Amino acid sequence: MAPGENIWDIAKDAPTTHQKLIDFVASIAELTEPQNVHWVDGSEEEHTRLTDHLVDTGTLTRLTSPDFPNSFAAFSDPADVARVESRTFICSEKERDAGFTNNWVEPEEMRKTLSGVFQGAMRGRTMYVIPFVMGHLEADDPKFGVEITDSAYVVTSMRIMARIGTDVLRKIEELDAFFVPAVHSVGAPLEPGDEDVPWPCNEDKYIVHFPESREIWSFGSGYGGNALLGKKCYALRIASVMARDEGWLAEHMLILKLTSPEQKSYYISAAFPSACGKTNLALIDPTLEGWKAETLGDDITWIRPGANGEFRVMNPEAGYFGVAPGTGWHTNANAMRAIAKGNSIFTNCALTDDGGVWWEGMTEETPEHLIDWTGQNWTPDSDEPAAHPNARFCTPIDQTDMLAPEYFEPNGVKLDAILFGGRRKTTVPLVTEARDWNHGIFFGATLSSETTAAAEGQVGTVRRDPMAMLPFIGYDAGDYLKHWVEVSDAASEEDLPRIFLVNWFRRNRDGGFAWPGFAENTRVLKWIVERLEGHGEATETPIGFTPTPEALDLSGLEVSDQDIEDALKVDPAEWAEELVGIDEWFGEFGESLPETIRAEAEQLRQRIKAD
Ligand code: GTP
Ligand code: SPV
Ligand code: MN
C-alpha cells in the first residue's frame, strides 16, 4: 500500500492532546508507513483481541492444558533467539563516551542508516503505540516511555513486563512529562499479496541507543531484550545514563527481602550476569528453619539515594522474563507456582501432547513425546534439547505468592547489601565480603563469568562482566565505575550497603559442583545477614573476608568437608593468575578507570605476595 492510501490520520485519531507524543507517533508513521495505527489501552478486552489475532496468524499457540490457564506458546525464528550484542549500539555524540565495552557509530551516520531501514518497514502491518512507565506511576519521579512497535507479540509481552496503557498516557499528559521514544520494527514489511510468517524478523538487526536524546531504535528482531524496549534498552542502557546525570544507579540486579528467625528484615540486591541465577535467588525457598524470603524483583534494580542518607531500591518491571530450562518444581517452586496461575507467554519452550509446555528441568520425569521448539517431534532419545537453552517464561510478578508487599512501594526500600556473582569453575570462593565500598566496587569491576545462552555467541568462555552490566552500560565503563565511587557521597557511611562476592558455580577437585546451590544458598545468605549484624565469623584473606567452614550453617546438609573446603578455598596461585586477567582487563579501560579502583588491584597484589 502506498503511503497516501493508509487509512490513519494521527493528529485526528490520537487519544491524546500531548503534542510531542502526537508529533512523535506521526513522524514514525510517516517513516514506516503502517497499514493501521492502534493506541494500546492495556485493557483485558484488548489483550483478548490481540491474542486471538496472534493465534489466528500462528504466532501464538493457545495452551489448552489446565496447568497453564490463559497462557500461550510462541516459537521464534531459529535465527532470532537471544539478545544480539554485536548489533547493539550506543551512539553517543563522542565515541569516547560510549567507551570500549560498547559498539559505537557516529550518530548522524546511524540516523541515516536507520532512516533507510525503517523506511516503509511497517507496510502491511499495524503500528501499535504503547505508553509505559518503568516503576510506579505514583513514584516521585516516574520514568515514562512510549514504544512504537509493529509486533502484537511485543504488545502482549510488554503488558506483562511493564505498566502500560491509558492510565500511563493520562499521567504523561497530566505531568506534561518527558517520555523515552522507543521505536521497534521486526523489519518485515508486507506488500500486497505477501503471506506473513508466524515470527517475522530480519537478518539485518540494529539495537540502537542515542544516550543524549534518550532515544531507542530497534530493528529486525522480535526477541526479548531486543524488542521489549522497556527492559534492557530503557531500564538499563538509557536509565544508566539518566542515573549518571541524576545521581542514582540502574543495575542488572534482583531484590530479595530476607527475614531472620528474630524477625529482622534485610533487603539484598544481587547482580549476576544473564542466565547466572538471579531469578533463582530472587525466588528462593529458604532451607533453614525460621528464615523467610520474599521477592521484589529478579532482573533490574534502580538504586536511588533517599532523604536520610540511605540507598533505596525498587524494581522498575512488572513481570518475569525468566530462563525456562532449569526452572522446575524441585529447583524453583515459587516460579512454578507463579507460572501455574497462568496469564503467561512461553517462548521457545516445547509443547506437550496435552496442550501444555515443557522444558528441560521442569519435572524430574521427561515426557515420552513432545513437539520441540523448532516444531519437530521429540523423544527422550533426541540429540537436541526440546526447549531452546534461552527459552523464556513471561509471567506477571504479582502472581508470586512470596512477593514482598514492599514491591508496591513507589519509592522503594532501604538497601542493606549488594551481592556480585558469576559463573566461575575455579578461583572465586563461595562468598567473600568486601572491606569497604570501594573494595566492593573492585569486586564488581572485575566480576567475570563463563558465557551462557542468553546472548548470541560461544557458550562457556570466561569474560569480564562489570557489575553484570557489560552489555547494558549505556556509557563509558570507566565513567560508570567512577559514578559508583561518587554516588556513595550521597549516602552516610554507616548506611552504605555492604558488598559481597559470591560464586555458586565453583567446581570441586572431582569436577562436580562444590556447592549444592539453589535453595541451599540460604546458608550463604544467613552468613551475610550475620555479618550485617556484626557476629558472623570470618577469616581475613588477601581477597577479603570469607567464612570459616564452621561459620556456615550446614545443619542437615549432606555435603562433604572436602567440598566445603573446595568451595571456600582462596588459592594464592589461582589469584596470581586472576590478577594477570584483571591487569589485562583494566588495561582496556585506558584513562577512564578511576585511580581508587586501580589502587585496589595493587593492594590485592601486595596482599597475595605477603600471604
Ligand atoms: P537472566 O534472566 O538472563 O538475566 O538470567 P538469571 O540471572 O535470572 O538466571 P536464572 O536464575 O534464570 O538461572 C539460570 C540458570 O542458572 C538456571 O538454569 C540454573 O540451572 C542455574 N542456576 C541458578 N542458580 C544456581 C545455583 O545456585 N547453582 C547452580 N549450580 N546453578 C544455578
Ligand atoms: C538477560 O539476557 O539478561 C535477560 C533476557 O534478562 S533479555 O530480556 O533478553 O535481556
Ligand atoms: Mn537479565
Side-chain angles (χ1 to χ4, degrees):
M1 192 178 292
E5 294 171 57
N6 291 325
I7 51 163
W8 39 261
D9 179 343
I10 303 294
K12 189 165 128 282
D13 300 336
T16 179
T17 53
H18 196 287
Q19 196 56 46
K20 279 204 185 96
L21 179 52
I22 294 171
D23 293 347
F24 167 54
V25 175
S27 72
I28 300 306
E30 209 61 48
L31 174 66
T32 61
E33 302 170 19
Q35 188 169 13
N36 300 298
V37 176
H38 176 86
W39 291 73
V40 173
D41 62 23
S43 66
E44 192 67 48
E45 185 257 322
E46 173 186 70
H47 177 71
T48 304
R49 248 188 305 125
L50 286 177
T51 49
D52 284 351
H53 166 71
L54 285 164
V55 168
D56 286 345
T57 59
T59 304
L60 291 185
T61 302
R62 190 185 306 278
L63 300 182
T64 51
S65 159
D67 296 342
F68 301 96
N70 189 30
S71 295
F72 301 86
F75 303 94
S76 79
D77 185 294
D80 191 24
V81 294
R83 285 181 294 98
V84 283
E85 293 178 7
S86 61
R87 304 299 302 162
T88 300
F89 301 89
I90 300 294
C91 298
S92 46
E93 275 150 31
K94 295 196 200 97
E95 181 170 10
R96 187 247 160 249
D97 292 337
F100 76 98
T101 60
N102 286 307
N103 301 310
W104 179 82
V105 171
E106 198 274 316
E108 276 322 300
E109 188 190 327
M110 182 56 89
R111 284 187 193 282
K112 264 195 218 124
T113 305
L114 291 175
S115 330
V117 296
F118 274 94
Q119 177 74 55
M122 297 190 188
R123 272 192 213 148
R125 297 191 183 278
T126 296
M127 179 176 110
Y128 299 93
V129 182
I130 317 171
F132 66 95
V133 63
M134 296 315 293
H136 299 266
L137 269 185
E138 303 74 28
D140 288 346
D141 178 18
K143 297 295 190 196
F144 296 102
V146 175
E147 176 164 355
I148 294 180
T149 178
D150 55 6
S151 162
Y153 163 88
V154 165
V155 178
T156 54
S157 304
M158 277 293 284
R159 184 168 181 269
I160 297 172
M161 295 309 298
R163 296 163 183 87
I164 70 168
T166 303
D167 293 352
V168 178
L169 183 56
R170 293 288 94 85
K171 197 77 176 186
I172 295 177
E173 290 162 352
E174 181 192 320
L175 302 175
D176 192 20
F178 172 79
F179 60 88
V180 166
V183 186
H184 171 253
S185 171
V186 293
L190 293 169
E191 303 303 338
D194 278 0
E195 181 107 20
D196 204 359
V197 292
W199 189 277
C201 60
N202 194 304
E203 263 174 52
D204 209 13
K205 294 179 173 54
Y206 291 90
I207 319 295
V208 181
H209 310 72
F210 294 100
E212 284 95 357
S213 54
R214 321 276 200 239
E215 283 167 77
I216 303 164
W217 292 76
S218 167
F219 178 88
S221 167
Y223 205 89
N226 298 333
L228 313 179
L229 301 185
K231 200 170 172 54
K232 298 308 185 357
C233 295
Y234 186 154
L236 291 179
R237 297 198 192 93
I238 293 294
S240 65
V241 178
M242 292 175 160
R244 175 201 61 194
D245 295 347
E246 298 168 8
W248 50 283
L249 298 163
E251 299 299 329
H252 193 201
M253 292 178 177
L254 63 95
I255 312 171
L256 181 70
K257 175 186 178 186
L258 199 65
T259 305
S260 70
E262 294 75 38
Q263 302 306 312
K264 281 200 204 128
S265 293
Y266 297 91
Y267 299 92
I268 299 172
S269 277
F272 309 155
S274 300
C276 289
K278 286 184 301 300
T279 304
N280 275 273
L281 187 63
L283 296 173
I284 194 169
D285 249 332
T287 50
L288 289 172
E289 191 65 33
W291 288 78
K292 183 176 177 193
E294 292 158 275
T295 197
L296 285 85
D298 80 317
D299 198 51
I300 299 181
T301 297
W302 285 357
I303 308 177
R304 296 184 220 233
N308 304 312
E310 82 285 20
F311 278 168
R312 304 189 75 79
V313 284
M314 55 82 63
N315 171 11
E317 300 193 282
Y320 302 114
F321 189 68
V323 181
T327 304
W329 288 103
H330 50 291
T331 53
N332 194 340
N334 286 313
M336 295 306 291
R337 276 191 284 269
I339 291 168
K341 289 186 190 158
N343 313 308
S344 298
I345 298 173
F346 302 94
T347 306
N348 289 344
C349 301
L351 285 176
T352 61
D353 292 345
D354 69 344
V357 283
W358 191 84
W359 49 75
E360 278 69 20
M362 178 200 270
T363 51
E364 258 152 8
E365 267 163 56
T366 302
E368 286 302 310
H369 176 258
L370 296 164
I371 301 296
D372 74 11
W373 74 278
T374 68
Q376 306 299 311
N377 282 306
W378 186 95
T379 65
D381 299 332
S382 302
D383 294 332
E384 299 293 327
H388 185 276
N390 194 38
R392 300 266 170 174
F393 58 89
C394 185
T395 299
I397 195 170
D398 61 9
Q399 293 183 184
T400 320
D401 292 338
M402 46 118 43
L403 188 69
E406 295 86 337
Y407 166 79
F408 298 100
E409 285 287 326
N411 298 306
V413 291
K414 177 181 181 284
L415 178 63
D416 296 297
I418 295 173
L419 276 47
F420 292 117
R423 215 177 250 273
R424 289 294 303 269
K425 293 192 172 97
T426 66
T427 318
V428 181
L430 181 61
V431 55
T432 312
E433 184 184 356
R435 294 187 168 75
D436 54 31
W437 181 257
N438 283 351
H439 186 220
I441 297 177
F442 176 74
F443 281 177
T446 57
L447 190 65
S448 57
S449 193
E450 287 132 22
T451 48
T452 66
E456 49 157 8
Q458 206 194 327
V459 170
T461 51
V462 172
R463 75 169 185 183
R464 297 282 151 194
D465 192 340
M467 273 82 173
M469 282 284 283
L470 180 70
F472 310 121
I473 303 171
Y475 58 105
D476 176 79
D479 290 353
Y480 168 78
L481 295 179
K482 181 161 154 263
H483 181 55
W484 262 85
V485 173
E486 288 173 351
V487 87
S488 68
D489 294 347
S492 53
E493 188 73 33
E494 67 274 17
D495 276 327
L496 273 177
R498 301 261 284 275
I499 302 181
F500 298 80
L501 179 65
V502 300
N503 179 19
W504 313 144
F505 300 89
R506 200 176 194 183
R507 298 308 174 107
N508 61 22
R509 55 197 85 180
D510 306 319
F513 285 108
W515 177 249
F518 296 100
E520 300 301 354
N521 294 330
T522 312
R523 299 162 193 276
V524 176
L525 294 173
K526 179 180 175 186
W527 182 77
I528 288 170
V529 164
E530 287 170 351
R531 293 296 292 171
L532 297 178
E533 292 179 345
H535 54 88
E537 287 295 325
T539 326
E540 184 159 11
T541 79
I543 65 165
F545 298 97
T546 57
T548 58
E550 302 72 42
L552 280 182
D553 184 344
L554 301 175
S555 53
L557 186 66
E558 275 182 43
V559 55
S560 69
D561 291 352
Q562 200 176 290
D563 273 354
I564 295 302
E565 193 186 306
D566 290 350
L568 293 176
K569 183 175 61 177
V570 178
D571 180 343
E574 283 183 331
W575 277 93
E577 198 180 315
E578 186 73 3
L579 264 169
V580 175
I582 290 173
D583 286 342
E584 222 170 87
W585 167 240
F586 279 0
E588 295 196 51
F589 283 75
E591 295 293 290
S592 77
L593 184 74
E595 266 320 306
T596 41
I597 302 306
R598 199 186 296 280
E600 292 289 342
E602 285 323 304
Q603 288 177 36
L604 174 59
R605 199 183 320 279
Q606 298 314 322
R607 287 202 189 94
I608 289 171
K609 268 199 203 133
D611 198 45

